[in-house]
Amino acid sequence: MKYFVTGSAGFIGFHLARRLLEDGHEVQGYDGITPYYDVALKRQRLGMLEKFPAYSGVEAMLEDGDQLKTIIGDFQPEIIVHLAAQAGVRYSIENPHGYASANLVGTLNLLEAARAAPPRHLMLASTELGVWGQPALAIPRD
Ligand SMILES: NC(=O)c1ccc[n+]([C@@H]2O[C@H](COP(=O)([O-])OP(=O)(O)OC[C@H]3O[C@@H](n4cnc5c(N)ncnc54)[C@H](O)[C@@H]3O)[C@@H](O)[C@H]2O)c1
């Protein structure tokens, strides 16, 4: 199956992408490599994914809605797993706009890109979308 995984350099996205590749799936990653924590660690994770021929990755921000739409449109994933996010609670006090930008605008951009090239399933896993009151949301299409 073809999976599009946002946050592929992050903790959960990396482990998910690696597991999917080990299981024989095709994975496209999407991550802006934000400096919220050690960027070298994120690059090391991407280096591990790049060893798999079935992996391709894009370094870009969710806020770039046109780019996201083009990439999803070209890849035509069957499954989208959305794990890119500005995570963390304490940092939201210091930088609330970073959360609105990545988690609200970015997620809306992802949903719009998925609307233009609908996957079979789209899964969001976030504790940072508090305004939606949903710790996790899955949207099955069939
Ligand atoms: N780790 C946990 O224990 C845990 C528990 C519950 C829920 N979650 C949720 O799962 C999701 C992933 O968590 P994680 O621990 O893997 O976080 P993480 O910070 O390790 O990974 C997030 C990735 O998203 C990327 N990113 C951030 N903002 C971006 C943007 N605007 N555009 C493109 N890429 C961007 C970062 O570079 C990073 O690699 C988050 O929504 C988090 O709230 C995590």
Side-chain angles (χ1 to χ4, degrees):
M1 286 240 256
K2 291 174 77 172
Y3 285 80
F4 184 80
V5 179
T6 72
S8 45
F11 174 60
I12 301 178
F14 160 69
H15 285 283
L16 173 69
R18 186 170 64 175
R19 175 60 190 267
L20 290 170
L21 290 161
E22 285 169 352
D23 288 352
H25 298 288
E26 189 179 346
V27 176
Q28 177 149 64
Y30 190 100
D31 198 302
I33 322 285
T34 63
Y36 174 58
Y37 64 84
D38 188 8
V39 166
L41 172 61
K42 294 183 183 183
R43 294 214 178 275
Q44 202 178 10
R45 290 171 177 157
L46 291 182
M48 286 189 249
L49 297 181
E50 281 158 7
K51 292 199 168 86
F52 290 86
Y55 176 80
S56 56
V58 175
E59 184 173 334
M61 297 297 281
L62 295 168
E63 288 86 337
D64 187 347
D66 290 340
Q67 162 102 306
L68 197 50
K69 200 174 265 183
T70 301
I71 288 180
I72 288 179
D74 288 347
F75 185 61
Q76 296 281 324
E78 293 163 272
I79 311 279
I80 294 178
V81 186
H82 181 37
L83 294 162
Q86 178 55 60
V89 176
R90 288 194 191 102
Y91 186 54
S92 71
I93 309 297
E94 270 173 58
N95 181 23
H97 291 287
Y99 289 74
S101 162
N103 302 349
L104 299 179
V105 175
T107 298
L108 177 60
N109 286 343
L110 180 86
L111 293 174
E112 283 296 281
R115 181 156 66 157
R120 287 177 59 199
H121 296 280
L122 184 152
M123 196 189 98
L124 310 181
S126 177
T127 47
E128 324 301 340
L129 289 168
V131 290
W132 291 9
Q134 286 278 12
L137 174 64
I139 305 173
R141 281 189 66 239
D142 52 11

